[in-house]
Amino acid sequence: MKISHKVVEDIIHVERRYTRLKQIFAGFVERAQYLVGENSQLKALQLKVSSDASSLDAIFAGIHLRFQLLPGYGEDGSVRGRVVCSRQIPGLYKESDVLGSFTFLGNGNTDFEVEQGSDPIEMEYHAIEIVLHFVQMAIQKPLLGLDV
């Protein structure tokens, strides 16, 4: 294993970009709060932000989901945000299982697939759909070791 001579510079750059990525994630979290607001039709959903604002926990009908913000590199070497969504079912499993992930750029655009000619899925603007997409995935994903 070889240590890069630019490792310090690289990590400082990641840290600077992470500040911007956290701002975008904060907008995502703020917009998702509509799902638990007084005008929401959903009553079985709860949301909680971590103390360092790097994750959002959602609880729906006994299923716990975590949206965890992580920095990552794109194929071109640019720093991007990566959100990993995991599911935990307390009382059934000790460990969580990963449902999926997506990446986003400094402008908030994600790598979710869209119909040709459609605008990209954007973190803040589509926060409600993104959260509910993963809630639905958590419900649909088979439970390990159970014939349900």
Side-chain angles (χ1 to χ4, degrees), residues 1-2 5 20 25-26 40 46 49 53 62 70 78 88 103 110 114 117 140:
M1 178 185 310
K2 185 176 179 182
H5 66 281
R20 174 66 184 133
F25 189 75
S40 176
Q46 301 170 32
V49 183
L70 302 168
S78 64
Q88 185 172 18
T103 60
T110 69
V114 294
Q140 291 174 337

Side-chain angles (χ1 to χ4, degrees), residues 1-19:
M1 178 185 310
K2 185 176 179 182
I3 296 177
S4 168
H5 66 281
K6 295 182 2 174
V7 70
V8 174
E9 294 171 33
D10 290 347
I11 296 303
I12 289 170
H13 177 70
V14 169
E15 181 180 47
R16 286 187 188 132
R17 290 295 298 149
Y18 185 70
T19 300

Side-chain angles (χ1 to χ4, degrees), residues 58-70:
I59 303 171
F60 180 76
I63 301 171
H64 294 231
L65 291 92
R66 172 161 289 167
F67 296 85
Q68 181 69 52
L69 172 64
L70 302 168

Side-chain angles (χ1 to χ4, degrees), residues 30-108:
E30 185 177 330
R31 179 69 176 235
Q33 296 300 321
Y34 172 80
L35 290 166
V36 295
E38 62 185 53
N39 295 327
S40 176
Q41 295 179 2
L42 296 171
K43 303 304 177 201
L45 182 68
Q46 301 170 32
L47 297 176
K48 182 181 176 189
V49 183
S50 66
S51 60
D52 68 351
S54 68
S55 67
L56 172 67
D57 290 343
I59 303 171
F60 180 76
I63 301 171
H64 294 231
L65 291 92
R66 172 161 289 167
F67 296 85
Q68 181 69 52
L69 172 64
L70 302 168
Y73 290 110
E75 290 178 11
D76 61 357
S78 64
V79 178
R80 299 172 183 211
R82 170 161 230 129
V83 178
V84 178
C85 185
S86 59
R87 169 183 74 172
Q88 185 172 18
I89 304 174
L92 271 177
Y93 303 112
K94 290 182 183 179
E95 303 295 324
S96 59
D97 66 283
V98 174
L99 295 171
S101 67
F102 61 93
T103 60
F104 65 94
L105 304 173
N107 62 4

